[in-house]
Amino acid sequence: QVQLVESGGGSVQAGGSLRLSCAASGRFLRLGAVDWYRQAPGKKRELVAQILYDGSLNYADSVKGRFTISRDNVKNTANLQMDSLRPEDTAVYYCNVDTILDLDGSTWSGWGQGTQVTVSS
């Protein structure tokens, strides 16, 4: 079983920064892709950033140049550094993690519990 724990949300003023973390624990060989999503009230959940095992990155256009995703393949953690925050970044942020469970290639994918980010103008 794999557990995901998110941390680091909070409230900041526009222009401020926050750093989100997602830590995976349990029985697995390694993490695969790690995605950060967000969901604002009344809106669909949207992909914000993705980092693959090899370090390849993808960002939503709305956060390019402001957010930075990173990972530590030894500690099995992933971070989302959010700078120059805007009120429209206000949402619940979720990590979604793929894990390689075993040498047979079996996988597991799951969501963190979500963490609230609120940016005031």
Side-chain angles (χ1 to χ4, degrees):
Q1 188 174 0
V2 181
Q3 295 82 39
L4 300 174
V5 177
E6 295 183 34
S7 60
S11 298
V12 294
Q13 290 189 326
S17 298
L18 286 172
R19 184 178 179 86
L20 307 183
S21 294
C22 179
S25 61
R27 293 177 60 87
F28 56 91
L29 286 182
R30 64 171 179 85
L31 301 184
V34 177
D35 304 330
W36 283 97
Y37 284 78
R38 66 186 180 188
Q39 187 166 20
K43 295 188 177 181
K44 293 182 179 180
R45 191 170 296 189
E46 63 173 349
L47 178 64
V48 174
Q50 177 185 66
I51 183 167
L52 303 184
Y53 182 75
D54 64 3
S56 300
L57 306 174
N58 290 295
Y59 293 99
D61 288 342
S62 58
V63 306
K64 282 181 181 177
R66 301 188 298 120
F67 289 11
T68 304
I69 189 171
S70 61
R71 64 189 289 159
D72 185 323
N73 290 333
V74 174
K75 296 181 179 179
N76 294 315
T77 58
N79 298 311
L80 184 68
Q81 176 67 38
M82 305 185 294
D83 299 317
S84 302
L85 283 162
R86 304 168 180 170
E88 55 263 39
D89 295 318
T90 295
V92 179
Y93 284 70
Y94 300 89
C95 62
N96 180 268
V97 177
D98 294 332
T99 60
I100 311 304
L101 296 176
D102 211 331
L103 292 174
D104 63 3
S106 56
T107 62
W108 175 90
S109 180
W111 294 90
Q113 81 276 15
T115 186
Q116 177 70 45
V117 171
T118 303
V119 185
S120 58
S121 57

